[in-house]
Amino acid sequence: MHFSRLVFGIVLLAAATLLADERPNIILIMADDLGVEGLGCYGGTSYATPHLDRLAGQGQQFMHAYAQPLCTNTRVQLMTGKYNNRNWKYFGILDPSEKTIGHFMQQAGYQTCMAGKWQLQSYDPPDYPGAEMRRDTGMKVADAGFDAYNMYHSGHTELKGSRYANPTLNINGTLHQNIDGKYGPDLWVDFINDYVRKASQKDQPFFVYYPMALPHWPMVPTPDSKEWSDPNRRLEEDTRYFADMVAYTDKCVGRIVANVDALGLKEKTLILFYSDNGTNVKITSQTKEGPVVGGKGLTTDAGTHVPLIARWPGYITPGKNANLVDSTDFLPTLLEAAQRKQLTPADIDGMSFYPQLLGKKANVRPWVFCHYDPRPGWDKDQFSHIRFARDQQFKLYDDGKLFDVSADPLEQSPLDPTSEPAAATAARNVLAAVLTQMPNPEPAPRDPLHFQPTQQDQFVPPTSKLELVYSGGTFTEGPTVAADGAILFSDVRESKTLRYDPQTGQTTIFRADSNHTNGMMHDAQGRLLSCEGAGGGDRRVSIRSLDGEVTTVVDNWQGKHFHSPNDVAIAPNGTVYFTDPRYGGNAPKEIDFEGVYFIRDGQAMLATDKIERPNGILISQDGTTAYVADNNNRYGGARSLLKIAINEDGTFGESTKLFDFGMGRRGIDGMAMDLHGNVYATAGSGIDAGVYVFSPTGEQLAKIAVPDLPTNCIFGGPSEPSVLYVTAQTEPDKQGKTSFGLFRIQLAREGYRIFPPASGNN
């Protein structure tokens, strides 16, 4: 008892000394493709890991640390503290606009060093479909926040060379190719140990990040393999070398720890060891509990359950920790260890486990969330989109399957909700709430949009230029032409309707409180129909009389309130059609589908409930055809242009898909039509942003590029019948800020309008 009190007192004294005198040096080591079964301290029996086992015995060993199933997915989370659903770009790519763990540690006043594998700047080989969209778009190692670095795969994949024998390395900005006779991991450990010796002589603490290459494929001899003595066999691939590679992983860690201790830095340095994902699927490892087949790339425990060891003598009491940790937790943990907790961004997902290391009372992670989709990227089409949330015992996938992974690690027997234990039901409810609250974005497109204009110059004269006539809006939409040729358009978020006068170039407020109007259109008498309630308020279709009075046309279907009327179109016979998607909002959902309606005798009549999320709508000049944008922004949702026959009773009949923008892209919002019946559809974002022109049969005719996020369009009035007005996001200004505005461009075709009538209307 007295000895325990003495040890506890020493720990407290050491902690007090730390707070008074200095902050710890930090070394974070991350293995590449090594599950818990690879270490003896976790029950593995296949490999020799004496140094890691000793590290675990001297520190805290986490029994429930998890990673993503593949390397980039984990590395992006570790570097930024954010789950992949927040900032995933492409495989092998880290968004260069992100602030990394290196940047934060520099800001905290640390010297920073990184050595090992980078692979976050460029990944796709040049001949891979869509590679031109992704190559060299990631973060350059020189910009990642590290004062010194020695990295493999710091550029294009085809130039990366070897990571093991005769390696190619970027050392502080200079590329050293095929370093003859050397072994990459040895050079990295030498670089780190030399850096630590020099950095320890300075007043600043240091942070070293070592993302290892070991024991990742290719499985080749190490300098401790007997085959290494033959230079011709040093790149010989065989899974039997995996055991040697794990042993060398351990040896590298041992060399770093020994250097720290020899320099007298043991009590001044926090050392963390982690892994980016499970072991390669070609490897079967033996454990005290039986054989384990590697699960790299899989969301099972074999793919995600990884070692985590933390050693800091005098501050961390040796033992095992049963709390949850994932890769987002390292950033806040390191900042708290650096006594700069205030630098931790409020918008990250990670939770600091630093207090746990010191044995202090702390908030612990109640669950781990995984948003996993490594696409797009070379060789990654074999994977799919998977989401789950888990605790120490239960794992819930977003398809509703719940597993007791403590009893069923291979996830072969999902629990039956009707007969599962009470503990499982309680976990199901908690984990389901996690999955519900987490955004679920789609992966970026694999390759460029397959839109091939056949008559570009016939529709868009080469001399025509897009002109910005109004900026400063928050979300512009719904342009329509007034009797005098002015363009009315809405700012949905500001809840106002604006009026642009082509004669003077001035924009004024037309309706100060528009009830968050979205789409608008004038009828044949010049009355203004508006879809209202996009941001709250009365969800209705309204009409503004010629004397300015605004009244409700319809606000319900069979007594049930609409979701949010979005866009409106008028048939030649005067029938009003409108779409009613549900894009959000907190209002109760009263209608269980998203529909298109038409108005008859003051009542909303259902035209169709067979469209996932109807948005923009047009009616042909003869009144027999509707064109509807099916624009469902949920994961896997439709992004299609539909051509639909209109039945004699006004309902919709047979539907034909004219074009599909595809997964991961922004579909069609609003549309306009010219006198020949061609459809002008606003769609896309980024390089895809534009107005896409289709013939009535779906032929791809032309594209009008816009800066970003086009929302709707309309042809001008009688004085400018071939001018197309487009609401869209503007280019960034000098401060990098954007707004929404109104653009116009001269085209070669005249537009079709109900009001004021176009000269060539049928």
Side-chain angles (χ1 to χ4, degrees):
M1 179 67 73
H2 294 293
F3 178 74
S4 299
R5 289 175 179 171
L6 177 61
V7 171
F8 184 64
I10 292 172
V11 171
L12 289 179
L13 179 61
T17 302
L18 167 72
L19 294 174
D21 299 333
E22 60 185 8
R23 297 178 292 163
N25 305 307
I26 301 172
I27 299 177
L28 171 58
I29 305 170
M30 182 169 67
D32 196 353
D33 296 0
L34 187 62
V36 290
E37 75 278 9
L39 275 63
C41 56
Y42 282 92
T45 60
S46 288
Y47 317 110
T49 56
H51 298 100
L52 285 165
D53 296 344
R54 186 179 307 112
L55 195 73
Q58 296 173 347
Q60 196 166 138
Q61 180 181 355
F62 285 79
M63 309 311 292
H64 285 282
Y66 296 94
Q68 287 274 42
L70 285 177
C71 58
T72 299
N73 302 74
T74 293
R75 292 161 192 261
V76 168
Q77 290 192 170
L78 183 145
M79 293 290 279
T80 65
K82 300 174 184 177
Y83 285 127
N84 284 174
N85 65 330
R86 304 275 305 284
N87 61 358
W88 179 260
K89 300 291 286 184
Y90 321 114
F91 195 85
I93 298 295
L94 172 62
D95 187 342
S97 68
E98 288 287 347
K99 191 174 181 179
T100 74
I101 200 168
H103 297 130
F104 281 107
M105 293 305 287
Q106 284 181 329
Q107 189 177 355
Y110 274 64
Q111 306 171 74
T112 59
C113 169
M114 177 170 61
K117 169 182 164 182
W118 182 238
Q119 195 179 287
L120 292 172
Q121 176 183 330
S122 191
Y123 184 76
D124 288 347
D127 58 348
Y128 185 70
E132 67 274 16
M133 301 171 62
R134 298 181 288 273
R135 280 171 58 82
D136 209 30
T137 62
M139 184 175 289
K140 293 177 171 58
V141 65
D143 300 330
F146 292 90
D147 306 324
Y149 55 86
N150 181 335
M151 303 305 293
Y152 163 75
H153 199 163
S154 64
H156 290 309
T157 292
E158 68 272 16
L159 303 176
K160 66 183 180 181
S162 169
R163 72 194 79 189
Y164 296 131
N166 309 324
T168 293
L169 304 176
N170 181 343
I171 303 176
N172 295 326
T174 301
L175 188 66
H176 300 260
Q177 295 180 297
N178 304 315
I179 306 174
D180 189 49
K182 300 297 183 179
Y183 186 62
D186 282 342
L187 296 179
W188 292 322
V189 173
D190 291 344
F191 186 84
I192 290 169
N193 285 347
D194 184 59
Y195 182 87
V196 167
R197 280 189 290 270
K198 294 176 180 177
S200 64
Q201 303 302 311
K202 300 179 181 179
D203 293 335
Q204 288 177 282
F206 60 78
F207 167 56
V208 172
Y209 174 44
Y210 178 21
M212 305 181 84
L214 286 166
H216 190 286
W217 172 93
M219 294 161 198
V220 293
T222 75
D224 289 346
S225 305
K226 67 180 187 318
E227 292 82 2
W228 183 267
S229 61
D230 182 353
N232 294 322
R233 300 187 66 183
R234 290 177 179 176
L235 296 177
E236 175 182 283
E237 294 184 29
D238 196 305
T239 55
R240 65 188 174 89
Y241 294 122
F242 184 74
D244 291 356
M245 296 173 77
V246 175
Y248 218 88
T249 301
D250 182 78
K251 182 177 182 177
C252 289
V253 174
R255 287 183 58 200
I256 291 172
V257 173
N259 182 62
V260 167
D261 294 354
L263 292 171
L265 302 175
K266 178 187 292 188
E267 289 78 21
K268 298 179 180 180
T269 305
L270 169 62
I271 298 177
L272 297 157
F273 177 83
Y274 181 62
S275 179
D276 64 354
N277 50 251
T279 306
N280 191 294
V281 294
K282 295 181 179 179
I283 302 298
T284 298
S285 305
Q286 300 299 321
T287 74
K288 295 177 181 178
E289 302 297 325
V292 175
V293 179
K296 175 182 178 177
L298 307 177
T299 56
T300 59
D301 265 18
T304 59
H305 190 194
V306 295
L308 172 58
I309 299 167
R311 191 199 81 157
W312 188 11
Y315 300 94
I316 295 176
T317 302
K320 295 183 178 180
N321 186 320
N323 294 322
L324 295 164
V325 172
D326 70 29
S327 53
T328 66
D329 296 332
F330 286 91
L331 175 57
T333 298
L334 267 57
L335 286 174
E336 188 167 2
Q339 298 182 34
R340 295 297 184 270
K341 186 177 180 180
Q342 68 273 19
L343 297 179
T344 304
D347 64 345
I348 66 169
D349 297 301
M351 294 181 63
S352 172
F353 56 86
Y354 180 70
Q356 298 180 51
L357 299 179
L358 302 185
K360 295 181 178 181
K361 185 177 180 180
N363 293 326
V364 298
R365 173 175 285 285
W367 42 260
V368 165
F369 168 69
C370 176
H371 178 100
Y372 173 60
D373 193 338
R375 300 169 298 177
W378 176 81
D379 193 39
K380 298 302 175 285
D381 288 338
Q382 61 181 300
F383 299 104
S384 60
H385 174 84
I386 301 175
R387 287 159 50 93
F388 69 77
R390 66 163 299 159
D391 58 23
Q392 288 89 337
Q393 181 176 359
F394 297 102
K395 179 190 285 188
L396 179 68
Y397 286 88
D398 60 359
D399 64 0
K401 290 181 180 178
L402 179 72
F403 295 92
D404 181 348
V405 288
S406 63
D408 181 20
L410 298 181
E411 301 175 13
Q412 296 176 328
S413 303
L415 299 176
D416 184 347
T418 64
S419 59
E420 65 191 16
T425 300
R428 182 188 294 275
N429 293 335
V430 171
L431 299 176
V434 174
L435 292 173
T436 299
Q437 75 185 35
M438 288 294 186
N440 189 20
E442 292 181 331
R446 179 178 181 269
D447 47 16
L449 182 66
H450 295 293
F451 183 87
Q452 302 295 329
T454 60
Q455 301 181 42
Q456 181 73 22
D457 290 352
Q458 292 93 316
F459 281 79
V460 186
T463 57
S464 291
K465 303 295 182 183
L466 190 71
E467 177 190 4
L468 178 65
V469 298
Y470 168 79
S471 62
T474 58
F475 192 78
T476 50
E477 248 282 10
T480 185
V481 184
D484 60 358
I487 305 298
L488 305 183
F489 62 103
S490 57
D491 190 324
V492 179
R493 293 172 185 160
E494 291 294 319
S495 192
K496 60 187 178 184
T497 302
L498 303 171
R499 178 182 182 275
Y500 170 73
D501 186 341
Q503 302 302 317
T504 66
Q506 299 298 309
T507 299
T508 56
I509 295 177
F510 177 79
R511 183 182 174 194
D513 184 1
S514 69
N515 188 31
H516 300 282
T517 286
N518 197 330
M520 299 182 291
M521 187 174 187
H522 287 88
D523 68 10
Q525 289 75 46
R527 298 174 298 181
L528 179 63
L529 289 150
S530 300
C531 293
E532 300 184 9
D538 295 333
R539 306 190 300 277
R540 66 176 185 172
V541 177
S542 71
I543 190 166
R544 178 187 174 97
S545 67
L546 298 180
D547 60 10
E549 181 182 4
V550 178
T551 57
T552 298
V553 180
V554 289
D555 62 4
N556 71 90
W557 176 72
Q558 296 183 353
K560 300 175 182 178
H561 289 97
F562 296 123
H563 302 304
S564 178
N566 184 275
D567 201 8
V568 59
I570 303 174
N573 65 3
T575 301
V576 175
Y577 287 85
F578 65 94
T579 58
D580 184 40
R582 185 176 179 88
Y583 281 109
N586 299 318
K589 186 176 180 179
E590 299 182 29
I591 303 173
D592 60 6
F593 58 83
E594 301 178 34
V596 180
Y597 300 88
F598 63 97
I599 300 172
R600 178 171 293 165
D601 299 328
Q603 300 292 318
M605 312 295 292
L606 182 63
T608 184
D609 60 0
K610 305 303 182 185
I611 301 174
E612 286 186 27
R613 183 156 290 174
N615 194 314
I617 184 170
L618 295 173
I619 306 296
S620 65
Q621 298 176 54
D622 62 7
T624 64
T625 305
Y627 296 91
V628 180
D630 193 353
N631 189 8
N632 185 354
N633 59 1
R634 291 175 296 197
Y635 188 91
R639 274 84 162 169
S640 305
L641 173 59
L642 303 177
K643 179 179 181 179
I644 307 173
I646 300 178
N647 299 322
E648 290 186 2
D649 63 357
T651 61
F652 285 179
E654 183 179 355
S655 174
T656 302
K657 184 186 295 186
L658 296 184
F659 190 79
D660 187 351
F661 280 83
M663 189 173 182
R665 290 188 167 89
R666 181 174 174 269
I668 297 171
D669 199 334
M671 300 183 288
M673 183 179 288
D674 67 22
L675 286 175
H676 299 275
N678 300 307
V679 174
Y680 296 67
T682 57
S685 60
I687 61 173
D688 291 335
V691 181
Y692 293 82
V693 186
F694 300 91
S695 75
T697 59
E699 181 185 356
Q700 300 163 23
L701 301 174
K703 179 191 173 184
I704 305 157
V706 302
D708 208 352
L709 302 177
T711 59
N712 217 323
C713 60
I714 192 72
F715 279 93
S719 65
E720 46 180 4
S722 299
V723 172
L724 186 73
Y725 284 87
V726 185
T727 49
Q729 184 173 284
T730 65
E731 295 277 7
D733 61 17
K734 293 181 180 179
Q735 286 73 43
K737 296 181 179 180
T738 61
S739 66
F740 275 80
L742 180 68
F743 297 82
R744 68 180 178 185
I745 185 171
Q746 177 71 48
L747 301 181
R749 304 294 175 96
E750 290 191 20
Y752 165 69
R753 300 180 307 276
I754 290 287
F755 180 88
S759 59
N761 277 16
N762 292 334

